[in-house]
Amino acid sequence: MARSEQKSLFTPDLILPACADAVRKLHPAALIRNPVMFTTATVALLLTLLLLVGHDALAVGFKLQLVVWLWLTVLFGTFAEALAEGRGKAQAASLRAAKAELTAKRLKGGGPDHETVAASALKLGDMVLVQTGDLIPADGEVVAGVASVNEAAITGESAPVIREAGGDRSAVTAGTRVISDEIQVRVTVNPGQGFIDRMIALVEGAERQKTPNEIALTLLLVGLTIIFLIAVATIPGFASYAGGGIPVAILAALLITLIPTTIAALLSAIGIAGMDRLVRFNVLAKSGRAVEAAGDIDTLLLDKTGTITIGDRQATEFRPVGGTMPAALAEAALLASLTDETPEGRSILLLAREQFTQLPDSLPSDAEVIPFTAQTRISGVRIGDMVIQKGAVDSILRANPALEGDPVTQDLRRITDEIARAGGTPLAVAKDGKLLGAIFLKDIVKAGIRERFGELRAMGIRTVMITGDNPLTAASIAAEAGVDDFLAQATPEDKLALIRKEQEGGRLVAMCGDGTNDAPALAQADVGVAMNTGTQAAREAGNMVDLDSDPTKLIEIVGLGKQLLMTRGALTTFSVANDIAKYFAIIPAMFVALYPGLGVLNVMGLSTPESAILSAIIFNALIIPLLVPLALRGVTYRPIGAGPLLARNLAIYGLGGLVSPFIGIKIIDLAVSGLGLA
Amino acid sequence: MTIQGWTLILLFVAMVLMLAKPVGLWLFALYEGRRTPLHALLGPVERGFYRLSGIDPTQEQGWRRYAVHMLIFNAVLLLATYGLLRLQGVLPLNPQGFGAVSEPLAFNTAISFAANTNWQGYAGESTMSNLSQMLALTIHNFLSAATGIALAFALFRGFARRSATGIGNFWADMTRVTLYLLLPLSVVLALFYIASGVPQTLAGSVDVTTLEGARQTIALGPVASQEAIKMLGTNGGGFFNANSAHPFENPTALTNLAQMLSIFLIGAGLTYTFGKAVGNVRQGWAILAAMMTLFLIGVTITYWQEAAGNPILHGLGVAGGNMEGKELRFGIAASALFSVVTTAASCGAVNAMHDSFTAIGGMIPLFNMQLGEVVIGGVGAGIYGFLLFAILAVFVAGLMVGRTPEYVGKKIEAREVKLAVLAIAILPLIILGFTAVASVLPAGLAGPLNKGPHGFSEILYAFTSAVANNGSAFAGLSANTPFYNGMLGVAMWIGRFFIIVPMLAIAGGLAAKRHTPETAGSFPTTGPLWTGLLIGIVLVVGGLTFLPSLALGPIADHLAMVRGQLF
């Protein structure tokens, strides 16, 4: 799998621009997107003004330190976002560089003449010529010709792929290079809307829209901020009853430590990093919503071929009928397959040579190959008067109507049913209109796939295998691979109907596909991953594109979606749990002058009230950069059930969030009082 | 603390747990509109009501319609009560010849009973005529309780229904709950109280000559009937000023136990009903487990503090636990238990004076209310308040399993979070806001009897009790002033209905959602982990906000006591 190198989080080339961006993001218009950080900045501004003009009992040095740490809290938040964006930008920069100097040979009036224009001048519907050595200037569809294309620029895979007009391999991506032949491409996007453009926009965060879940979480954070604002704003009234006053700076410090600044500061960084992880995994999501939906998937529709089984079937057995000698069947099968270059054909040769000796090496010179056609669905060879046919059982019987009713046919039917039940595909072999027997082509289930499905089941995800095979074969492979269900003899309509049925039952469905006939199902699915090798229609319909065209990745995509949501939840829990320790730091410091007895609430034994307040504020600020690596890398995801996962994360982030500030604030207090800062 | 004390507490908990299922099943029949054994007798009455009022009980209402009908019903009742209290002087059944209730007090009292709070700024036996007690007040005891249960049903339907537009019919819910649950149970309980010596008469007070030869007026009235619904409906408004500490309201240890049980009866049962409604009774048990754990923590602290007593008094040679303000008939354990029960559920009846509790012993009742009356809580209100916390808990922690949070098959999204936070934020806003106002205004500062942090606790307790719709008084506060009658009246109204409307909006939104089937990947909302999480969220989100106020009130009070400081 062409996963990009994990870049270190804190390299100077990322940190320095992020620092500059962090300051730029202090602009109110940018800050208002994050209400909690906006509140923090407002309070910091207020205290700055009070520092300059206000009079109260507090030492100026103490207030100055408070102001500095409050501004740092805001800056750490904007820095986290800037760093996440910076990482995305670095990822996208190489793509953009490749794209910047692209030129195009635009065909004039569809004719043979062409003019050279900048790629950015291309519009939807333009026709361009791409010749050997050229970079493809824009996303499009091959309308004429066939070429091999190196797509390493976007996939990291250096082996060239074939792109040709018509069929399921007609889509080409801007920035990839044609290494042989030439093709005519119809541009299918307007400037700035290609995949690369979308990818750049998403990872850079410039056009990032909040996802539904992020909006809900932001609302919760706003709600908590309001609740704590009420709690703090009413304190002066209470204090006045007790015959005292509380300086504004102290109230501000309490407010900022209580409102969920930690998660608010990291929220957008988590979202950007989640998209970025997907991109590093060579999957482009068209929206953040799609990534979130991936975590919610209940049902995975997986194509059998290429995902569950290795793409090619292997011949494993010759099953003669009607008294035919096995060697005779093997020889006929071998002759019919000598010119068959498909992996299946080659596996027949291999099996025949393995089991029998003295088989011919090549066809006699008078042999005439009967090519496979979509109409007959039979291939074979004619040697003199002898005709050998090889094909699906029904096709052979259709080609030889005389066989109908023959007892040998009954025999063959029985054998082919057996083969199907065992998860194989039978190929019938006939010689001069007489059935010789069947070849057992076996689907090979990928190693380790059964365990993967077991993991998915533990995560509560149902797997459904989609196959064109008949139900008997499908059932057998399904059992061997350990999928929960299967859809046999599936047509695109069946697929669409299945997705709708699952969705009506309240389940979210993910699937992948590449053909134009997959497009409706890709569009209907909650997560539709189109293969990059697929048609333009498929790539447009899906909400993700896998650049490696590896359908197995659907499973990892679900994991990445879950990781994104988990990281948000873990840091929210951590942030909220922190509040208890902060109360115990600030409340006694705040009220000890009113009622000296309240000093016993100072369970951490913080040295002075000023040091306690300062330590809480410093902890509150420093925890943000300390958690940046976690926010960017994401919480470790393990494919275990929700119960154990919750227990584990509650222990780490809930309990950890409860305990760690007690320790952290105490250590900071020792440093603050030791250095004589307060 | 004594063995007998703990036996009583644990016996009480065991009885609550045992009663939850049968009561829950009965409530579930009413929730579903199914036939109960009582239908043979009362069915014609129910149908008669519908025919008279032209209501079709099968007609489903959307959440807006449900909310509007509920609000209009309560507003009309409120106005009628206000009118009746103002006119009681010229109305019959007024053997003592009481005059009209003053405007601020009538305003306060009418809201108080409509909002299921039963805060009483007056002494019942010297203010209210029998007609006022029965028609203006007792009727609210039934209908405000029925309203709470109906609203809980509406929210249950939101969770249980799939892609539906309606959340039930308010009138049908009200009629069924009143007719098949509250009335029959009240009759049984009233007969039990009468048998135990509680008066039930329309005669006025009796004048007697005591053994010392002094003349004494003994107030009587229809006490037993009010007593039954006062507990059952978590109303708490006593016939007498002394409430359940009065021997005519609560004569024996047995009536005391029955009163405590009837406070928790419906609230605990509703958790089971919720489980039944959403198709998994373990969901209900998980909630009840969280509630009862919070309850036991509260009882333990209060009982421990009350039994430990006051070191300042110990220094003066008064040994033993704190008996100030307690009835000798009940003693420390039964009083501590009663105080936690009545404040955990938003009942507000008292059998001892909470003002006289030790600082920490009295803080627990206060804290119970500040949590939003969700530890069992008021009938209906407790469970719907708790479900709001469950929504928050699911949302905060649910993300940690890597899915969009779900609760009992419904996705919890932006709308639910917004409305739940809105409903939950009302409580601290009004409690803390009004307390802060009263702490600085002269009219507010005139209220408390005591100086120092205890006086602050008295103000805080009053507003907490009002907003949380508890209605118990800390005593000590002179609340029958225009300032407090007005402020507390507004607080009670907001505390009741400003939570209900967002809650119903959640119900409506949830009902319209698809049901997501539970899988191994779904957030587990049964079992000890979830129960622990619920407790954590209730304490952190519901409780932490009040820590500064508690620090300046009961905690400072307690620490002063420990240091021997007096105010």
Side-chain angles (χ1 to χ4, degrees), chain B residues 294-311:
Chain B
L294 282 166
F295 169 72
L296 264 176
I297 296 170
V299 172
T300 306
I301 295 174
T302 296
Y303 182 33
W304 164 56
Q305 281 295 312
E306 291 309 301
N310 186 335

Side-chain angles (χ1 to χ4, degrees), chain A residues 98-184:
Chain A
K99 202 168 177 293
E101 62 262 22
L102 286 183
T103 56
K105 295 169 180 168
R106 183 161 63 189
L107 295 168
K108 285 195 253 183
D113 297 339
H114 60 79
E115 56 181 354
T116 301
V117 297
S120 54
L122 291 175
K123 292 193 302 293
L124 181 76
D126 280 352
M127 301 286 283
V128 294
L129 178 70
V130 192
Q131 294 167 306
T132 307
D134 289 351
L135 284 168
I136 293 170
D139 290 359
E141 194 163 15
V142 181
V143 290
V146 54
S148 53
V149 179
N150 183 339
E151 299 195 334
I154 51 168
T155 63
E157 179 63 52
S158 55
V161 293
I162 299 295
R163 291 282 176 256
E164 60 190 339
D168 287 351
R169 294 188 295 184
S170 61
V172 288
T173 310
T176 57
R177 189 178 295 277
V178 172
I179 55 174
S180 74
D181 308 292
E182 64 174 51
I183 44 176
Q184 287 182 26

Side-chain angles (χ1 to χ4, degrees), chain A residues 633-656:
Chain A
R633 292 217 175 91
V635 167
T636 319
Y637 175 68
R638 279 176 202 183
I640 47 179
L645 203 58
L646 177 67
R648 185 172 174 274
N649 286 334
L650 261 186
I652 299 176
Y653 302 102
L655 213 57

Side-chain angles (χ1 to χ4, degrees), chain A residues 332 381-389 399-400 402-403 429-436:
Chain A
V381 65
R382 192 189 306 275
I383 306 169
D385 292 339
M386 182 176 71
V387 178
I388 301 175
Q389 292 167 307
N400 301 286
L403 288 172
V429 180
K431 185 171 162 186
D432 298 334
K434 292 265 182 302
L435 284 172
L436 296 183

Side-chain angles (χ1 to χ4, degrees), chain A residues 378-407:
Chain A
I378 288 175
S379 64
V381 65
R382 192 189 306 275
I383 306 169
D385 292 339
M386 182 176 71
V387 178
I388 301 175
Q389 292 167 307
K390 181 185 80 176
V393 177
D394 288 338
S395 309
I396 295 286
L397 293 178
R398 210 178 310 119
N400 301 286
L403 288 172
E404 207 60 56
D406 192 321

Side-chain angles (χ1 to χ4, degrees), chain A residues 470-621:
Chain A
N470 67 57
L472 280 179
T473 310
S476 162
I477 297 173
E480 192 182 343
V483 293
D484 297 303
D485 203 354
F486 63 88
L487 183 65
Q489 287 168 342
T491 61
E493 293 74 37
D494 291 343
K495 240 177 174 175
L496 188 60
L498 177 65
I499 293 174
R500 290 217 170 109
K501 197 183 111 216
E502 291 285 316
Q503 288 173 335
E504 268 155 31
R507 287 178 281 268
L508 266 65
V509 185
M511 67 165 286
C512 52
D514 54 3
T516 298
N517 55 17
D518 283 331
L522 279 172
Q524 178 73 34
D526 301 283
V527 173
V529 182
M531 299 295 105
N532 194 42
T533 52
T535 60
Q536 189 62 27
R539 301 205 302 184
E540 284 297 325
N543 49 16
M544 291 191 195
V545 177
D546 177 18
L547 299 174
D548 298 333
S549 304
D550 171 8
T552 326
K553 271 212 232 163
L554 203 48
I555 299 171
E556 273 88 8
I557 291 173
V558 170
L560 285 176
K562 287 194 179 292
Q563 193 186 26
L564 173 67
L565 294 175
M566 275 169 50
T567 308
R568 277 197 203 126
L571 290 177
T572 308
T573 308
F574 186 88
S575 196
V576 172
N578 271 197
D579 277 0
I580 295 172
K582 293 170 184 170
Y583 262 119
F584 276 99
I586 295 190
I587 294 283
M590 194 181 224
F591 292 149
V592 78
L594 300 176
Y595 298 114
L598 286 174
V600 299
L601 291 183
N602 182 7
V603 289
M604 284 171 270
L606 306 177
S607 50
T608 64
E610 288 76 20
S611 172
I613 290 161
L614 204 54
S615 303
I617 276 285
I618 293 175
F619 177 84
N620 192 54

